């Protein structure tokens, strides 16, 4: 058995045991599809969101953010098509009442691909293949559409006019605010509007731990371009030589394997239609790799014709190879001007932009909407960080230092020497101003190292008897167990450099 | 007219005009009590949350965080008392159907204090004073209790067993996870568990812009102590000399004015009962002041007997003087062991902690729960930062540098000299790695300064013709308009020091 490879169920156990994730309201038996993030989980999740925002909003001058509300005017969802079309196919058992998603039932039982399968086809397959209840084996009822939006009522009386929805995606809140944001932030095409926030989907059968939840968080950019300038991507040079696993609709149709090629090749061979689309796909892929994920576990996969959403001209998913198969991390659609036009139509508001060149009013196109589930990113980083070190006979969680929930552990060598503990605490008090730190004095130093490694603490600093004499401490690397000795006065600087990627061995005197 | 003082309505206009806050789904007419944060608002809100988390979680070793889900098991709210008791008094007009909160109607019409008024008393006053509909003047119906929790259904079929609530507060999610967090984070009493996240209340009449919303965000700590050691607050020395405006239940009862006294005096005179309560009140007050709020606009006010919640032994509110009066920012309750005991009773789970000293199992007491609405903090910082500068004839938003949405503006002096613009952009590209920056080349430099001041940009950097020759730039202070000249190579260091509180005049060569 490869102890470094966890199933999704084992990952859930690990996350609970170490304080990353709990089932919501576990003391009351939990509630399917809802999870709470524990003391380490909240930090990892916040770090993911922070670094994403820094990369895609703060460091870019063509993207600004917003933070819209979860309960949104129902007309937003009428206009967007969600009220009528945001459905899954529900089948229930005539006998035990268990409910299933039609496509998932087919996928699980027949092991065939169901991307984009509609009601009629699902109904046909269920009947032809005589599929039965996955729980009790009885007959299934007629499949029907089920809307995935949660609804509630605003105000003291429940009437149809007080009915509202919890947003099932963050995108529409961006479209509804499009004009105000564009004007106030004085944005000129091309530009993006980003949002991080919760979304809710009343999934028929939530599954695979954090992968398919009913309450989740999205990190999303809607990127708008001039309708006549969809090919002018001024950043494309940055990614032309970037290489990734590509799985086009053609390859899928012709039963070919995915190919590792560059963005340049994708464009030259017209595998990816627009430069902007290629640019954002590469950028999102790169972001994961930069923060420690393994590029080999990713591919970009084009939607086949049947699975394209009602609003999309072309969609590519960024996929990751989970223990339960290749799954979507992000759907990057070319949404065209579908949404803005729908909102113009339903709101009678003018959402156009004045084009100074042609003196015309134009409706921008969403050339791409990189939309990432925070919890899926959370899983990716955990799976790729989780490793088992044979020599240490211990789990080591090799999270990128920027993502690690706790960066530094401060350990007094022994716990029963007051001056040593005091010295360690002084060091701790200094370091925690800079980073999330932990102070641990219980158990042997080896036990403390092991505990730190398991939760991804990037560096541990041990204060020993010598420290009291020479004001120096030992820094130990989580990833290599390498140790160096540095002066306390230099500790902050050294740790900073180490976290910025310098080799620990070069930052102090090696300890043998 | 004092142009520096805005009403709440004027603040809403300012927030919309500058890109801080919009009514949710404004293009569809909005929806009362729901707001979206624009490109500057999202940054200010994130900064507030980040600094709060840094102060109260990261820099403390006795507090850890969690991030629980919004939709929570309904038993959580049954146990906590919310299903039965989380109500406001609703009165409606028999003729036009308008709905009012009974206590607010009394407060607005009769200008009397209604803290903690119950159904019977409200009903009596409404009748005795013959109050009528605030809208059409007709008769009012019988007042009744109205539960403020939003509900929805989980899963494909709406039955009573699928009914769930959107959390009306973050506190209960902490209690439900109490034991898991305590064990996994290996916490020893006294300790706190913190959470930042959305909460939802179906307010009968949301009002005062961001002050009373239906969807809002809380930053909360539940602080647990040993039941027998409620007086042992090891941090109390840190705040004994801290001075603040105090308005006790006694002062209120005897129609006395609030007094400016120290925490020490509060404790000596037994105005505040427990040290922990005093400690957290001071700390929260201090946090606001440290991030730029004006201490004179705050007071702590004790709940009078009638307004105490069902779970609370003693409650103090941290209040702020808004344009519409003194209002609650935080309620700091001593919740005793009420919640943990209720959850033990309803869940049959053991939420006790083993006391190594007495070898007994104990139920910790929540000595204090500092619970701050993010949007109320947002308003406080905006009101106290908003000022009108006569000399400049312009609004200057003097937000603390840590809170300012954009820290640095980079301005090329003119926009039609390619090499100058390029140099400015190079500077911008460097600075934005460190801080949220903006690059602005449209309009006169004076116009750009004015625009920057209005949105709180802490420092502006101008690149001029001289910069091309001597590699130096001009930094201008938002607050004083003072300007200094520094080398580009030193710019990052100088800006860092300036943001950390050093005087700009001492960091470079003064420009006259």
């Amino acid at each position: 058995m490869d102890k470094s490879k966890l199933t999704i169920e084992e990952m859930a156990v690990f996350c609970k045991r170490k304080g990353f994730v709990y089932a919501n309201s576990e003391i009351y038996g939990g509630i399917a599809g809802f999870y709470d993030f524990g003391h380490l989980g909240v930090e990892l999740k916040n770090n993911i969101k922070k670094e994403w925002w820094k990369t895609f909003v703060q460091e870019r001058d063509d993207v600004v953010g917003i933070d819209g509300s979860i309960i949104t005017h129902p007309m937003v969802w009428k206009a967007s098509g969600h009220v009528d079309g945001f459905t899954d196919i529900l089948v229930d058992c005539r006998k035990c009442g268990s409910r299933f998603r039609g496509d998932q039932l087919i996928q699980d039982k027949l092991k065939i691909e169901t991307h984009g399968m509609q009601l009629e086809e699902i109904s046909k397959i269920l009947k032809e293949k005589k599929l039965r209840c996955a729980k009790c084996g009885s007959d299934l009822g007629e499949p029907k559409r089920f809307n995935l939006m949660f609804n509630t009522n605003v105000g003291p009386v429940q009437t149809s006019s007080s009915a509202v929805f919890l947003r099932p995606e963050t995108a529409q809140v961006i479209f509804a605010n499009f004009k105000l944001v564009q004007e106030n932030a004085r944005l000129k095409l091309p530009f993006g509007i980003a949002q991080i926030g919760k979304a809710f989907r009343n999934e028929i059968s939530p599954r695979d731990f954090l992968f398919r939840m009913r309450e989740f968080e999205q990190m999303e950019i809607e990127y708008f371009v001039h309708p006549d300038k969809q090919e002018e991507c001024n950043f494309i040079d940055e990614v032309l030589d970037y290489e990734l696993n590509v799985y086009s609709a053609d390859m899928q149709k012709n039963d070919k394997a995915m190919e590792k090629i560059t963005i340049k090749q994708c464009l030259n061979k017209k595998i990816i239609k627009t430069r902007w689309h290629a640019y954002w796909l590469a950028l999102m892929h790169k972001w994961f790799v930069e923060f420690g994920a393994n590029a080999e576990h990713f591919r970009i996969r084009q939607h086949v014709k049947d699975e394209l959403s009602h609003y999309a001209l072309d969609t590519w998913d960024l996929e990751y190879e989970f223990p339960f198969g290749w799954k979507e991390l992000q759907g990057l659609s070319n949404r065209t001007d579908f949404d803005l036009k729908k909102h113009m139509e339903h709101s009678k508001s003018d959402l156009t932009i004045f084009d100074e060149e042609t003196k015309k009013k134009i409706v921008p196109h969403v050339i791409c909407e990189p939309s990432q589930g925070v919890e899926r990113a959370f899983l990716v980083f955990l799976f790729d960080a989780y490793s088992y070190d044979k020599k240490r006979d211990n789990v080591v969680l090799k999270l990128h230092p920027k993502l690690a929930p706790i960066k530094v552990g401060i350990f007094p060598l022994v716990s029963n020497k007051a001056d040593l503990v005091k010295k360690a605490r002084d060091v701790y008090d200094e370091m925690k101003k800079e980073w999330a730190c932990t102070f641990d004095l219980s158990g042997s130093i080896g036990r403390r190292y092991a505990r730190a490694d398991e939760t991804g603490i990037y560096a541990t600093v041990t204060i020993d008897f010598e420290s009291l004499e020479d004001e120096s401490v030992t820094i130990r690397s989580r990833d290599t167990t390498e140790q160096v000795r540095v002066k306390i006065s230099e500790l902050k600087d050294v740790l900073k450099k180490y976290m910025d990627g310098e080799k620990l061995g070069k930052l102090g005197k090696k300890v043998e």
Side-chain angles (χ1 to χ4, degrees), chain A:
Chain A
M1 192 187 109
D2 180 353
K3 287 194 186 178
S4 276
K5 291 230 185 294
L6 297 186
T7 63
I8 188 77
E9 293 79 14
E10 287 163 345
M11 179 56 84
V13 171
F14 173 79
C15 280
K16 178 180 171 184
R17 196 164 47 86
K18 288 290 147 195
F20 283 92
V21 186
Y22 310 122
N24 171 258
S25 315
E26 207 203 46
I27 57 172
Y28 294 107
I31 164 171
F34 297 92
Y35 290 90
D36 295 342
F37 290 78
H39 75 293
L40 296 180
V42 62
E43 302 293 341
L44 174 55
K45 201 173 169 215
N46 285 347
N47 291 342
I48 290 170
K49 291 192 277 183
K50 191 176 89 183
E51 295 303 332
W52 189 93
W53 196 261
K54 185 164 190 289
T55 303
F56 297 113
V57 181
Q58 184 189 318
E59 292 188 2
R60 296 189 68 100
D61 41 328
D62 58 342
V63 179
V64 300
I66 67 160
D67 181 12
S69 75
I70 288 167
I71 290 182
T72 319
H73 199 290
M75 279 303 293
V76 170
W77 309 108
K78 184 69 192 164
S80 68
H82 283 79
V83 170
D84 299 319
F86 193 60
T87 53
D88 269 346
I89 311 301
L90 168 71
V91 212
D92 44 19
C93 170
R94 288 191 200 276
K95 193 171 171 202
C96 75
S98 295
R99 298 180 193 99
F100 307 95
R101 236 177 80 176
D103 59 335
Q104 278 177 357
L105 201 65
I106 290 170
Q107 221 178 319
D108 291 351
K109 294 256 177 170
L110 307 175
K111 310 284 171 213
I112 59 171
E113 203 44 81
T114 55
H115 285 307
M117 234 179 230
Q118 296 302 309
L119 179 61
E120 295 67 32
E121 196 178 352
I122 286 174
S123 180
K124 203 176 132 208
I125 295 177
L126 289 173
K127 272 171 205 157
E128 281 182 7
K129 302 287 177 186
K130 298 200 174 73
L131 292 191
R132 304 172 70 84
C133 174
K135 221 166 186 177
C136 77
S138 305
D139 279 357
L140 294 170
E142 200 57 43
K144 52 179 180 276
R145 285 185 212 283
F146 169 69
N147 196 300
L148 298 183
M149 286 196 291
F150 283 103
N151 52 51
T152 186
N153 288 274
V154 168
V157 180
Q158 297 200 3
T159 64
S160 61
S161 73
S162 69
V164 292
F165 302 103
L166 307 195
R167 64 182 181 196
E169 62 169 34
T170 48
Q172 296 303 325
V173 184
I174 293 177
F175 297 128
N177 284 304
F178 170 77
K179 193 62 193 167
L180 283 164
V181 176
Q182 185 265 324
E183 282 180 359
N184 278 330
R186 303 184 304 130
L187 298 167
K188 289 195 168 67
L189 291 172
F191 66 82
I193 303 177
Q195 181 170 212
I196 297 182
K198 291 237 170 154
F200 295 74
R201 293 180 186 177
N202 197 359
E203 295 284 349
I204 294 167
S205 50
R207 51 158 72 186
D208 297 323
F209 189 35
L210 302 182
F211 184 78
R212 190 168 301 282
M213 299 163 78
R214 282 168 166 157
E215 173 177 338
F216 59 103
E217 204 158 356
Q218 289 189 311
M219 314 188 274
E220 184 159 62
I221 304 169
E222 297 296 322
Y223 201 82
F224 301 92
V225 300
H226 192 296
D228 302 335
K229 296 177 185 171
Q230 301 198 33
E231 269 314 303
E232 289 175 28
C233 170
N234 25 355
F235 309 118
I236 194 70
D237 287 349
E238 294 172 21
V239 299
L240 282 177
D241 296 327
Y242 194 74
E243 209 178 40
L244 31 61
N245 293 320
V246 176
Y247 197 36
S248 68
D250 263 355
M251 295 172 192
Q252 294 167 65
K253 213 169 63 186
N254 300 318
D255 279 328
K256 287 189 187 161
M258 64 186 185
E259 279 178 51
K260 191 165 185 179
I261 51 179
T262 63
I263 291 293
K264 197 182 208 160
Q265 288 170 302
C266 287
L267 289 169
N268 287 347
K269 291 181 182 173
K270 305 214 184 303
I271 295 173
I272 301 178
K273 285 174 205 155
T274 71
R275 287 179 193 176
W276 276 114
H277 216 144
Y279 168 71
W280 280 109
L281 279 163
L283 227 59
M284 289 293 155
H285 188 282
K286 215 171 148 187
W287 182 79
F288 274 102
V289 176
E290 261 178 37
F291 286 96
N294 182 341
E296 293 312 309
H297 297 162
F298 292 79
R299 72 180 181 194
I300 58 171
R301 186 184 68 79
Q302 190 175 21
H303 278 208
V304 297
K305 213 177 151 224
D306 286 345
E307 72 186 295
L308 279 176
S309 302
H310 58 286
Y311 51 73
L313 195 68
D314 189 18
T315 300
W316 282 80
D317 286 349
L318 177 63
E319 293 192 333
Y320 177 82
E321 194 174 17
F322 285 100
F324 46 98
W326 284 100
K327 298 286 170 186
E328 176 193 340
L329 285 184
Q330 291 193 6
L332 289 92
S333 291
N334 179 341
R335 292 181 86 125
T336 71
D337 54 5
F338 177 88
D339 302 272
L340 285 181
K341 279 199 169 152
K342 285 285 174 198
H343 287 296
M344 286 175 69
E345 191 185 312
H346 283 79
S347 71
K348 316 281 180 223
S349 297
D350 181 6
L351 305 182
T352 59
I353 289 186
F354 180 73
D355 180 18
E356 289 176 15
E357 232 171 85
T358 60
K359 308 288 171 201
K360 279 183 193 157
K361 284 178 164 189
I362 53 156
V363 182
H365 276 231
V366 171
I367 193 78
C368 197
E369 51 151 14
S371 166
Q372 173 65 53
V374 178
E375 294 84 358
R376 291 186 183 183
F378 185 98
L379 277 182
V380 164
F381 289 121
L382 276 183
F383 272 116
D384 278 356
Y386 188 95
S387 68
Y388 176 78
D389 185 306
K390 273 186 201 161
K391 214 170 127 201
R392 285 183 248 184
D393 188 22
N394 195 45
V395 168
V396 184
L397 198 62
K398 296 187 176 177
L399 286 166
H400 189 282
K402 289 246 160 66
L403 299 185
I406 297 172
K407 316 293 183 202
V408 186
I410 314 284
F411 303 161
L413 185 66
V414 296
S415 63
N416 56 358
K417 291 281 170 199
D419 48 353
L420 201 148
V421 172
K422 159 109 188 32
K423 168 77 64 188
R425 191 159 278 276
D426 290 347
V427 171
Y428 170 67
D429 287 340
E430 260 321 295
M431 295 307 125
K432 74 183 177 184
K433 285 182 202 158
E434 203 71 30
W435 302 288
C437 296
T438 191
F439 186 81
D440 190 356
L441 43 63
S442 85
S444 73
I445 196 76
R447 183 72 209 100
R448 282 179 270 169
Y449 283 152
R451 208 149 52 201
D453 290 345
E454 272 182 319
T455 53
I457 296 176
Y458 192 60
T460 44
V461 175
T462 304
I463 290 84
D464 54 25
F465 293 102
E466 251 181 86
S467 307
L468 296 174
E469 287 160 26
D470 69 358
E471 292 285 319
S472 69
V473 294
T474 301
I475 307 177
R476 171 183 175 276
S477 157
R478 171 196 71 193
D479 295 345
T480 63
T481 72
E482 187 176 23
Q483 303 193 1
V484 299
R485 193 84 185 166
V486 301
K487 291 278 172 203
I488 292 175
S489 57
E490 293 162 3
L491 182 59
K492 203 174 257 185
D493 260 3
V494 168
L495 285 173
K496 191 166 251 153
K497 283 179 187 162
Y498 177 43
M499 284 186 227
D500 281 345
E502 291 189 38
K503 292 254 176 290
L504 186 61
K506 293 191 176 160
L507 293 169
K509 212 179 120 206
K510 279 203 186 185
V511 177
E512 302 304 325

